[in-house]
Amino acid sequence: LYARYRGDDNFDPSEDTAEITIDDGKDTTRSELVLSTASGFPTETIILDAMVHNEEGSDIPNGEIEFWDDTYNDLLETISLDSAGGATYSWEIPESYPEGLISLKAEYQGTSAFTPSEDTEEFTILGRVTPTADMILLPDTITVGDEVHITVNVWSAEIVVIPSGTISFFDED
């Protein structure tokens, strides 16, 4: 609000501003987004869990949550809140996503009784890495019928995540 006195022959002009809050009668909400993991590779699935509470911490059991990839402004899904004020979405990371940081957002749309709110979490898209497989044979020289112990280590200097998957053995002859 802005007020201005224009002044007169005896007084200089004067002005002032003041803020006023208009209560629309809606309860203020707080949204919280939790990701099942902080990073992942394209084509992997992660779980996005969203909860909506009022200022006192009580669950908001009605309305909808929109899950967004905020980096690419892509609406992933709209889900109705359950009776506990939550919504869960399983998101498969698109194969086309480049390596890097993105923002995922849960946005509560609000209702006639509750204000909208949102929460954003950062997520790292990991790039594909070609690991190294080292095979060790003990002993490395045998005769027919001898036992051989085979150890294979799969590793990469570029990542700290231990690769998972299947190792197959083949006889080259």
Side-chain angles (χ1 to χ4, degrees):
L1 203 52
Y2 178 77
R4 181 175 20 177
Y5 169 66
R6 295 191 185 270
D8 63 17
D9 291 340
N10 298 315
F11 296 98
D12 290 332
S14 178
E15 58 187 53
D16 194 16
T17 60
E19 291 189 27
I20 185 168
T21 302
I22 299 173
D23 184 358
D24 60 6
K26 293 183 178 185
D27 277 347
T28 301
T29 65
R30 180 179 49 84
S31 293
E32 180 183 6
L33 174 63
V34 177
L35 308 178
S36 61
T37 183
S39 61
F41 292 100
T43 72
E44 286 185 337
T45 299
I46 67 163
I47 306 300
L48 290 77
D49 282 314
M51 292 294 298
V52 181
H53 306 282
N54 66 12
E55 288 182 316
E56 291 78 38
S58 299
D59 300 334
I60 306 297
N62 58 7
E64 293 181 330
I65 285 276
E66 290 181 348
F67 290 98
W68 287 85
D69 169 350
D70 215 26
T71 301
Y72 296 103
N73 196 31
D74 184 24
L75 175 62
L76 304 173
E77 189 68 52
T78 302
I79 297 178
S80 294
L81 293 174
D82 61 24
S83 60
T88 300
Y89 176 61
S90 296
W91 178 58
E92 182 178 309
I93 303 166
E95 190 169 5
S96 62
Y97 272 34
E99 181 177 347
L101 197 62
I102 64 168
S103 293
L104 297 174
K105 178 173 69 174
E107 185 175 350
Y108 174 61
Q109 299 305 298
T111 66
S112 60
F114 300 104
T115 62
S117 60
E118 63 184 51
D119 188 27
T120 303
E121 293 292 328
E122 290 188 338
F123 183 80
T124 302
I125 305 292
L126 301 172
R128 295 286 182 191
V129 174
T130 302
T132 300
D134 290 329
M135 183 167 54
I136 302 167
L137 304 174
L138 293 176
D140 60 358
T141 303
I142 61 168
T143 58
V144 175
D146 287 348
E147 188 174 287
V148 177
H149 293 276
I150 304 170
T151 302
V152 178
N153 293 310
V154 180
W155 62 277
S156 173
E158 300 169 349
I159 60 171
V160 294
V161 177
I162 298 172
S164 61
T166 303
I167 298 174
S168 300
F169 297 92
F170 301 94
D171 182 356
E172 289 185 18
D173 293 334

